[in-house]
Amino acid sequence: MNLAAAKPNQAEVVYVVDDDEAVRDSLTWLLESNGYVVRCHASAERFLQSLQSTDKSTISCAILDVRMPGMSGLELQERLTSENFPMPVAFITGHGDVSMAVSTMKRGAVDFIEKPFKENDLCSLVDRMFAKARVEYSQASQRKVTQSLLSKLTGRERQVLERIVAGRLNKQIADDLGISIKTVEAHRANIMEKLNVNTVADLLRLALSDPQPN
């Protein structure tokens, strides 16, 4: 058993989606005995329905069966991606082959293991998924903070910021926008204050960390 591993945070959830009740029970027992919080669903459709009332900020991962009645695990993976659920997924199946494994990995799956599987392998897989989920959650949280700060800027301040990021000097920015250098300097000071940064390097780092800063 994976007793040496650090106990997962109770806010972190492992979702198991498999139409085989015996597999769900087995996975639940193995994971819960190692300290994980587990939520099971018998179909992809039920799982998606449950996610409608789930906080997207919850750190989670999902173990999906490839072949299920109705929506398959591969189709479920695509839905999770298209609906922007930040949830690493892995597949467990008794019917897998190399081409299917390659397909799931190309679509972003963390791993692909076949039944029967070893308990340590399963726990190691879940640990890797949670590690990935924590990084993605942290990045998403930082993007939200950045977007919130950038939203405080006026239209003119955004224009000035665009040009600062582009490497334009104050005089060049003034010429671009038809304003005085002193006005540019005032805008720069306001931008630094609103974004809570002290140096141009910090300003650039923050602005460039947002995929659509302007």
Side-chain angles (χ1 to χ4, degrees):
M1 295 175 65
N2 194 32
L3 296 178
K7 294 300 180 184
N9 187 305
Q10 291 302 301
E12 299 177 349
V13 178
V14 184
Y15 292 104
V16 175
V17 185
D18 196 306
D19 63 304
D20 188 327
E21 184 177 4
V23 172
R24 294 198 306 273
D25 289 345
S26 175
L27 287 172
T28 298
W29 184 85
L30 287 174
L31 291 170
E32 287 186 344
S33 68
N34 281 275
Y36 299 98
V37 177
V38 184
R39 300 286 182 269
C40 290
H41 297 276
S43 71
E45 291 83 0
R46 290 184 183 179
F47 175 51
L48 287 173
Q49 185 176 13
S50 75
L51 289 181
Q52 301 309 310
S53 58
T54 299
D55 184 354
K56 284 189 177 183
S57 67
T58 299
I59 295 176
S60 59
C61 63
I63 298 174
L64 314 177
D65 187 19
V66 171
R67 303 178 189 271
M68 293 183 286
M71 184 184 295
S72 70
L74 298 177
E75 291 170 330
L76 174 55
Q77 180 189 20
E78 291 179 351
R79 281 287 296 275
L80 292 173
T81 300
S82 67
E83 296 183 17
N84 295 317
F85 276 100
M87 185 184 305
V89 302
F91 290 90
I92 295 182
T93 180
H95 308 283
D97 57 25
V98 174
S99 63
M100 188 178 294
V102 171
S103 176
T104 62
M105 298 292 281
K106 283 183 175 179
R107 298 178 187 183
V110 174
D111 209 340
F112 181 104
I113 58 177
E114 293 185 79
K115 295 178 281 191
F117 46 83
K118 296 180 180 179
E119 181 175 346
N120 285 341
D121 290 342
L122 175 65
C123 291
S124 175
L125 172 58
V126 171
D127 288 342
R128 283 189 286 124
M129 287 198 289
F130 273 138
K132 186 173 188 290
R134 292 182 198 113
V135 170
E136 292 176 347
Y137 175 76
S138 176
Q139 292 173 339
S141 297
Q142 184 56 51
R143 283 195 295 272
K144 288 181 180 179
V145 171
T146 299
Q147 289 164 1
S148 176
L149 290 172
L150 290 171
S151 70
K152 298 178 181 179
L153 302 182
T154 65
R156 177 64 86 186
E157 287 166 350
R158 284 177 174 272
Q159 291 177 329
V160 172
L161 177 58
E162 284 180 1
R163 287 159 176 80
I164 294 173
V165 171
R168 305 285 283 172
L169 302 176
N170 283 357
K171 183 179 186 307
Q172 294 172 317
I173 296 174
D175 291 341
D176 290 344
L177 301 178
I179 57 180
S180 70
I181 294 177
K182 286 188 177 181
T183 301
V184 173
E185 291 172 347
H187 284 315
R188 285 182 72 123
N190 288 338
I191 292 168
M192 301 282 279
E193 181 178 356
K194 288 182 178 180
L195 299 186
N196 194 29
V197 294
N198 297 315
T199 68
V200 174
D202 289 338
L203 173 64
L204 293 176
R205 193 174 298 114
L206 185 149
L208 293 172
S209 70
D210 187 71
Q212 294 182 324
N214 301 297

